[in-house]
Amino acid sequence: MTSDSGPAPLPPRRGQKLPSGRGPGRPPAELLRRLRARHATDPVTHVERVPARAGEPAAWPAWAPEELRAAFARRGVVAPWRHQAEAAELAYAGRHVVVATGTASGKSLAYQLPALATLLTDPRATVLYLAPTKALAADQLRAVAGLELEGVRPACYDGDTPRTEREWIRRHSRFVLTNPDMLHHGILPGHAHWSGFLRRLAYVVIDECHTYRGVFGSHVAHVLRRLRRQCARYGRTPVFVLASATSGDPATAAGRLTGLPVAAVTEDTSPRGGVTFALWEPPLLPPPSVGEEVADLVSVRRSALRETADLLADSVVEGVRTLAFVRSRRGAEVVAANARRALDEAVPGLGDRVAAYRAGYLREERRELERALLHGDLLGLASTNALELGVDLVGLDSVLICGWPGTRASLWQQAGRAGRSGDEALAVLVARDDPLDTYLVHHPEALFGRPVEATVLDPANPYVLAPQLACAAHEAPLTAADLELFGEGAKEAVDSLVEAGALRQRPTGWYWRHRERPEVDLRGEDGAPVCVVEESTGRLLGTVDGGSSHFLVHPGAVYLHQGVSYVVDSLDLADGCALVHAEEPDWSTHARDVTSLSVVSVRSYVDAGPVGLFLGEVDVTSQVVSYQRRRIATGEVIDTRPLDLPARELRTVAVWFTVSPGSLATAGVEAADIPGALHAAEHAGIGLLPLMATCDRWDIGGLSTALHPDTEAPTVFVYDGHPGGAGFAERAYRTAAAWLRATRDAIAECGCETGCPSCVQSPKCGNGNNPLSKPDAVKVLDVVLANLARGNAAQASPAGAAGATGSDEATDGGPAGSGEATDGGLRDAAPGGAAGGSGAAAGGGSREAALPRQDGRASERTVTGGSSTPD
């Protein structure tokens, strides 16, 4: 722990002059010292100092028009940095290139320079820019339009673009900014309307390309191949220029994404202000003094949400422009509301300088919030990761990160939002009260000085390739040359589509047989968005994604929108509408659901004596059944009210292994330790599967239980988090010995004593990474590996023989095959269609689940003893 002392605590705020938000505010390092001094016990466990760095400028390329240089000079850019010039030179020479440098390193100039130079020297050329979010595309539109270059005519073309403007954009814009979803759903199916634009396309810019990972990234990879295919039909071969945050092996990832050889520029030569990065552990709360019977209760820590709200409020008081990243939409609203309340109590009206920002807001609201933060009208913003990407928020002094975001890449991306003008910056990671966050703030070596994760995607995934080939065939008949473009597995995927009756083979190629277009969702979102409408006025407040609607806008739910509370009167799922009325209740609502995993069929299995290895279909079923009302001030449960909402079911593919209790006992695993042993093995297995299957850990889910009703044995499931499967479980089954050996070795060789993020702790565990037993996980995997080796795991038997279990019988009066895990079953769920939720586990155990959210990842809820508490 650091020991540097700070000045006197912050003075009382009552009557303090309102900060302007347009000056530098208090220096971030000094602010940190003052914030620490407010606590009797120093909450900072570590301070990492990232030193400032001088920049290395380069000369403007000779081919850059004087008009363009002057436009950049008006914006304050007198010369490019060396890495910008290197990337621009490669692109202008016709090389596909990815620039993978740190946050705020000026990656935009690296692609703007060759693209805009070409537009100015070739009056017919066009440029297509792709961003993963609308906010980033809007930010880039402001930047390009601000250069005021004649004839460029930049325009955004996305779902928010009025239809009256779309025809003009197709005909006249030469710099079109859009996203992969619009390219997939709008531009490519209507390529005939875009023929003029595509036959003149010089550059394709792919911004923040590290976000295209997992199944989503694999889909985007084929959307880009479809774009290349259409450009080739019009006689054009555009240059691809990609921008990425610092990531492992960016050239390989960019090449896999585009299907092209890509050169990488990775040395960051931009100047950087110093960053003070603090790890902050909220203080312990005193135990309740309500009687001797609870005197020995272990104190719990203050909520990370409340701690972040207070830090945000204190930063605003000091005039420090601050962005707080919060994991969930509701959390962002809570942080903003609490900060506003505290500020208004200190200085009436100061709370107006803080707002929330998240997906689900209307376009006009999002743009206004971005403008207000950029111009200093807002001093504080609580946001989901919707602002994690490269939106140019020049002038931010500090960033608060409420809870570990899941990867080091996201951590540094969020921290990099501060100090973008080159000044000193402050970043604070506020730990949640769970073992993973606790471990990280006490083991800074797990965060600092280590490389960020590589971007993982697999275009050869047949569950992605087949539907994308169907989309391509709808756009134009497929040819043998097209199959080479789409790469490995394309011929097999086309053959499967022909067999399924989707394609018809003729001498000239493969033709789409249906009138309607294939329905393929790139992001795997669960259902159409639900509109939130104020019943008395008919005003549209915002939207909620379909996967979250059962939890956020069920009848009776309290819905927060920019600090205003609404109560949901009705939810019409058929029409996608939730009607609400304004109300400020003294209670909050928390949905509760029950979830189960049942075996549908077994495709293949290995009988290895006390160990069984299986591959088959499973159903993951979730249903929101009730909600609790809790008093805001005390957390007291007022009552529990039933709900009548439909169940959600994900049928997918899983790999699982069973172990007999006797073999575990022989190995020294006590019965009471089996849940923690299996849970730890499951976490490590999910973390290591990307070594064997080209996937992202957010694409897969799992369940571990000491007694599953379908297998009647201790069982660990790992399943694809996408409807119908995505090939990951199949790969795990085929490489089970190598996969589980790597899992066992990763646990055993980790230097920690009880488990850490490098071995058995998971960033997506909704059960707070508890229970976990690292040594017993090694014993479990030793039993599995030894018996698989003896059972000759390479030879799998066909399904249907003795030992293949199904779920034909109803359990406990529920639907067929929907028996819940018992004896402390544990479940990690994956996004992308996985029904999210947490139900009570029989026997007083606890289970984990994940709820799809707007960023395509999973937000978790902890369930213990039958109650559900959103994080």
Side-chain angles (χ1 to χ4, degrees), residues 84-96:
Q84 295 172 325
E86 289 178 3
E89 289 280 11
L90 287 168
Y92 197 77
R95 295 277 303 278
H96 309 294

Side-chain angles (χ1 to χ4, degrees), residues 627-832:
Y627 69 97
Q628 290 181 337
R629 296 194 305 164
R630 301 179 190 172
R631 296 201 185 279
I632 295 175
T634 65
E636 171 195 359
V637 176
I638 301 172
D639 58 20
T640 299
R641 301 188 173 191
L643 289 170
D644 182 20
L645 292 171
R648 291 180 168 181
E649 185 173 282
L650 168 72
R651 176 159 293 184
T652 186
V653 179
V655 58
W656 65 96
F657 64 80
T658 61
V659 191
S660 72
S663 65
L664 294 178
T666 302
V669 181
E670 300 292 335
D673 297 327
I674 291 177
L678 297 177
H679 191 198
E682 174 213 332
H683 278 183
I686 289 174
L688 269 293
L689 183 54
L691 292 177
M692 308 297 164
T694 311
C695 66
D696 189 286
R697 74 176 299 153
W698 302 98
D699 288 320
I700 48 183
L703 178 148
S704 55
T705 173
L707 181 63
H708 192 275
D710 288 342
T711 66
E712 299 181 348
T715 309
V716 172
F717 291 88
V718 174
Y719 61 86
D720 297 347
H722 298 265
F728 308 140
E730 295 174 354
R731 179 66 176 168
Y733 180 77
R734 291 197 301 268
T735 63
W739 167 44
L740 296 177
R741 170 62 62 186
T743 300
R744 185 262 180 214
D745 291 346
I747 300 173
E749 295 169 4
C750 186
C752 69
E753 293 183 5
T754 59
C756 71
S758 295
C759 55
V760 300
Q761 291 184 352
S762 169
K764 59 189 240 189
C765 179
N767 202 58
N769 285 290
N770 183 55
L772 292 174
S773 177
K774 176 183 175 179
D776 288 320
V778 175
K779 295 176 183 177
V780 167
L781 291 169
D782 281 340
V783 171
V784 173
L785 288 165
N787 284 280
L788 285 180
R790 283 194 292 266
N792 192 5
Q795 295 181 0
S797 301
T805 59
S807 55
D808 296 330
E809 295 183 7
T811 305
D812 295 333
S818 63
E820 296 190 29
T822 60
D823 295 337
L826 300 172
R827 182 165 57 78
D828 280 331

Side-chain angles (χ1 to χ4, degrees), residues 446-466:
L447 297 176
F448 303 111
R450 299 188 63 181
V452 299
E453 300 84 357
T455 302
V456 179
L457 67 150
D458 182 14
N461 183 335
Y463 296 92
V464 172
L465 182 53

